[in-house]
Amino acid sequence: MNDLSQLPVYSDEELASLSQAVLMALMTCDEDRVPRNVIDECARRGDTMLKFLSPLSITTQ
């Protein structure tokens, strides 16, 4: 089976232990294949993620 057909998998415990920068790196690397629990973990962190997300909004405008 081709590795590209497999979705990345991260446990909730693993994600909770990662820094905001590492979470953003996962989202960048996984692109449209990022698992829902990565997005949920970013959302759970609320405003602490804004400094990592704000530069992305500038590049997409």
Side-chain angles (χ1 to χ4, degrees):
M1 180 178 263
N2 185 344
D3 286 342
L4 292 177
S5 66
Q6 301 245 333
L7 293 175
V9 177
Y10 308 102
S11 72
D12 292 340
E13 294 79 18
E14 176 185 8
L15 295 174
S17 70
L18 298 177
S19 69
Q20 286 87 339
V22 174
L23 286 171
M24 285 304 302
L26 291 178
M27 292 198 352
T28 302
C29 290
D30 294 342
E31 295 179 336
D32 64 339
R33 300 171 63 78
V34 67
R36 171 64 188 259
N37 66 339
V38 174
I39 296 167
D40 289 343
E41 181 62 25
C42 291
R44 185 187 69 74
R45 296 183 186 207
D47 289 343
T48 63
M49 289 300 294
L50 289 179
K51 75 176 186 178
F52 297 95
L53 295 168
S54 294
L56 295 176
S57 67
I58 292 169
T59 61
T60 60
Q61 291 181 1

